[in-house]
Amino acid sequence: MSDTTEPSGLQGLQEPTLDEQIAAYQREFRDLDPQVEKVVSALGRLNRRMNVAYGRQVADLGISNAEWEVLKTLVLSGAPYRLGPGELAKRLGLTPAAMTHRIDRMAGEGLVTRDRDENNRVRVIVELTDEGRQKWLEAMRMATDFEQDLLQDLSPDERGALGEMLIRLLRRVELTQPDAGGRLTDLD
């Protein structure tokens, strides 16, 4: 078998290289700026592959990406790591029904508790449990190792410059697409 031949059954399944993708796009759409497309396509592929890697890490901990998002949101809210379901849904860009489903599942797994607010018995409070916090900490340890490995070939100056450039791109998207932080559909 030659080096250019794919194993039987894998033909056509391999993603084209960025250069191949850009060449195909240019062939079909002459107005394409190849520099812009290279940046955007590389960012898209990097994001997709990083999401797969993070998903595998949290799966190894026995939680889903959706559960990880809730744990992360509660931690980001600060001690005592409590939010109402409506606030959680808003921060995650989910419908209240999807959030309720997610909270039900996580409460059953011991990752969060759901109790009535003592000051307002109508209001429900979702709180991170010790087990949920431990899962979050372990996921952070795994992610930190992965991220250090990912950026190992960049010098501290290159990391800083890349970070600043990506923040500029993020700000542009946030200015032009202010609603893009949520989801078009629920993931659960």
Side-chain angles (χ1 to χ4, degrees):
M1 182 185 310
S2 74
D3 292 335
T4 59
T5 305
E6 294 178 9
S8 178
L10 295 179
Q11 294 169 342
L13 295 179
Q14 189 172 13
E15 188 173 32
T17 67
L18 282 178
D19 289 338
E20 291 169 339
Q21 178 180 324
I22 292 165
Y25 285 175
Q26 284 182 298
R27 184 179 62 241
E28 300 297 326
F29 183 70
R30 299 250 181 242
D31 295 338
L32 183 82
D33 181 332
Q35 288 180 316
V36 170
E37 189 59 34
K38 185 175 248 180
V39 170
V40 172
S41 294
L43 285 172
R45 287 184 184 198
L46 179 61
N47 181 57
R48 189 172 64 244
R49 284 168 172 78
M50 287 177 67
N51 284 335
V52 168
Y54 290 136
R56 287 178 180 147
Q57 289 176 342
V58 296
D60 287 345
L61 297 174
I63 61 175
S64 68
N65 278 333
E67 292 168 330
W68 160 250
E69 287 183 0
V70 174
L71 297 178
K72 177 176 65 173
T73 302
L74 287 168
V75 168
L76 289 173
S77 74
Y81 314 117
R82 305 171 73 199
L83 289 171
E87 183 61 24
L88 272 169
K90 183 178 174 184
R91 290 182 186 197
L92 292 171
L94 298 173
T95 63
M99 192 73 251
T100 298
H101 174 69
R102 199 173 288 186
I103 292 167
D104 287 346
R105 191 173 62 236
M106 293 179 73
E109 294 170 358
L111 301 172
V112 299
T113 59
R114 179 182 40 210
D115 294 307
R116 295 272 175 212
D117 185 342
E118 292 178 15
N119 299 321
N120 178 352
R121 299 296 297 161
V122 176
R123 187 169 184 246
V124 172
I125 297 291
V126 179
E127 185 171 348
L128 188 65
T129 63
D130 288 340
E131 182 178 345
R133 181 156 169 74
Q134 289 306 311
K135 294 276 186 182
W136 178 81
L137 285 168
E138 186 58 31
M140 288 300 292
R141 283 185 200 97
M142 295 167 79
T144 299
D145 291 344
F146 169 72
E147 292 157 1
Q148 289 290 331
D149 186 55
L150 176 68
L151 298 174
Q152 70 179 331
D153 296 330
L154 301 180
S155 71
D157 287 344
E158 289 172 320
R159 290 178 186 193
L162 178 60
E164 290 302 317
M165 288 185 278
L166 291 173
I167 287 170
R168 285 184 6 222
L169 294 177
L170 178 60
R171 285 186 187 135
R172 171 68 60 194
V173 171
E174 289 172 343
L175 284 172
T176 61
Q177 306 290 321
D179 63 339
R183 299 221 167 61
L184 296 177
T185 59
D186 292 330
L187 300 178
D188 294 317

